[in-house]
């Protein structure tokens, strides 16, 4: 496994990921932080998306089926409608298109606890197996009806560091970094959005809840803390 932000041959550790939110200068304390030491998420089906408190991460298996596989938790507040920063690492381990239509995995901040076929407001990104990766947003739409911009395909078995910023009521960016102090950019997107995307308050990781395909060999994890800073557009 290739791990950005660690010494050559180093093992994955909390210290490595601690750098992801510190950098050269001290960052302000986040308004929200979850390092998965306890399971504060609601899991519709923990066979596919689950909080692993032993290894302190979220594990996911990208599967397309009719049932709801969403896991979510509340931020504890409603995110500002025009300014916030969300950071977390992600690592896709294996990928297979499977059979039938392409499976999707959505990682976003949403207005709803409902599954992918529930109309909701949301901002985040998605894995579209096998086509690639893209930013992901919607205004009172299902996750499947989302808009977004494709970005460079990520390398398997590699930890990347996502920074999603709502820069204004009508714009957000997704930037993927190769190092844990968020200085070496790998790819990024910049999307104009509707100002009516509001009331975002739930972090969610969800499979596409629609029959028509399988992808049991597509797996990954969010291997360390999620952090959210509200009311700011940079750190």
């Amino acid at each position: 496994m290739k791990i950005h932000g660690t010494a050559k041959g180093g093992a994955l550790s909390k210290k490595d990921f601690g750098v992801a939110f510190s950098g050269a200068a001290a960052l302000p304390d986040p308004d929200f932080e979850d390092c998965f030491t306890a399971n504060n998420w609601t899991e519709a089906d923990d066979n596919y998306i689950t909080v692993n408190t032993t290894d302190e991460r979220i594990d996911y298996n990208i599967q397309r089926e009719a049932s709801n596989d969403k896991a979510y938790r509340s931020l504890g507040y409603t995110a500002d409608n025009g300014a916030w920063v969300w950071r977390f690492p992600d690592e896709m381990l294996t990928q297979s298109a499977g059979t039938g239509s392409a499976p999707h995995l959505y990682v976003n901040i949403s207005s709803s606890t409902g599954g992918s076929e529930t109309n909701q407001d949301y901002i985040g990104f998605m894995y579209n197996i096998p086509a690639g990766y893209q930013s992901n947003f919607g205004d009172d739409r299902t996750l499947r009806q989302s808009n977004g911009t494709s970005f460079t395909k990520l390398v398997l078995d590699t930890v990347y560091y996502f920074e999603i910023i709502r820069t204004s009521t009508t714009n957000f960016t997704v930037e993927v970094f190769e190092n844990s102090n968020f200085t070496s950019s790998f790819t990024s997107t910049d999307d104009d959005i509707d100002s009516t995307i509001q009331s975002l308050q739930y972090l969610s990781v969800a499979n596409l809840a629609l029959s028509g395909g399988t992808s049991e060999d597509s797996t990954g994890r969010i291997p360390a803390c999620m952090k959210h800073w509200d009311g700011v557009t940079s750190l």
Side-chain angles (χ1 to χ4, degrees):
M1 176 178 65
K2 182 180 180 183
I3 302 168
H4 292 303
T6 64
K8 184 177 180 180
L12 188 63
S13 70
K14 290 183 181 179
K15 180 179 179 181
D16 297 322
F17 285 117
V19 177
F21 305 107
S22 60
L27 295 177
D29 290 337
D31 296 284
F32 169 91
E33 177 178 12
D34 189 345
C35 295
F36 314 123
T37 57
N39 189 354
N40 297 304
W41 294 62
T42 299
E43 301 168 353
D45 189 338
D46 61 10
N47 290 310
Y48 296 113
I49 302 171
T50 187
V51 174
N52 177 344
T53 56
T54 300
D55 297 308
E56 299 178 8
R57 68 191 189 208
I58 291 179
D59 294 322
Y60 56 79
N61 185 329
I62 303 177
Q63 180 75 237
R64 178 167 173 163
E65 59 174 5
S67 63
N68 174 24
D69 297 336
K70 182 174 181 175
Y72 69 89
R73 71 155 297 174
S74 173
L75 282 170
Y77 53 87
T78 300
D80 188 278
N81 289 327
W84 47 258
V85 177
W86 183 25
R87 284 182 170 183
F88 55 91
D90 188 77
E91 180 183 16
M92 177 69 78
L93 298 172
T94 60
Q95 188 176 111
S96 170
T99 60
S101 300
H104 299 165
L105 181 83
Y106 307 93
V107 181
N108 56 43
I109 302 180
S110 173
S111 63
S112 170
T113 62
S116 72
E117 293 303 289
T118 300
N119 281 10
Q120 54 197 283
D121 292 0
Y122 52 91
I123 289 174
F125 81 98
M126 66 174 285
Y127 288 126
N128 180 357
I129 308 298
Y133 313 84
Q134 69 178 63
S135 57
N136 177 245
F137 66 92
D139 178 16
D140 193 26
R141 301 167 71 93
T142 69
L143 302 188
R144 180 167 50 91
Q145 296 171 323
S146 65
N147 297 303
T149 303
S150 297
F151 55 83
T152 305
K153 196 165 186 178
L154 308 182
V155 178
L156 294 180
D157 200 28
T158 302
V159 178
Y160 292 95
Y161 301 86
F162 280 74
E163 181 179 70
I164 301 175
I165 301 178
R166 186 159 191 175
T167 62
S168 71
T169 57
T170 57
N171 180 266
F172 86 103
T173 61
V174 177
E175 189 161 10
V176 182
F177 292 86
E178 295 182 301
N179 61 337
S180 60
N181 59 0
F182 293 83
T183 58
S184 178
S185 180
F186 178 75
T187 187
S188 63
T189 62
D190 187 312
D191 287 285
D192 293 328
I193 61 177
D194 296 324
S195 62
T196 47
I197 296 178
Q198 299 179 358
S199 302
L200 306 184
Q201 56 192 294
Y202 301 103
L203 303 180
S204 70
V205 182
N207 280 330
L208 174 59
L210 195 69
S211 61
T214 62
S215 182
E216 295 189 19
D217 292 325
S218 292
T219 60
R221 56 196 180 196
I222 298 171
C225 308
M226 284 186 171
K227 297 190 178 187
H228 186 269
W229 291 261
D230 201 45
V232 299
T233 57
S234 64
L235 297 174

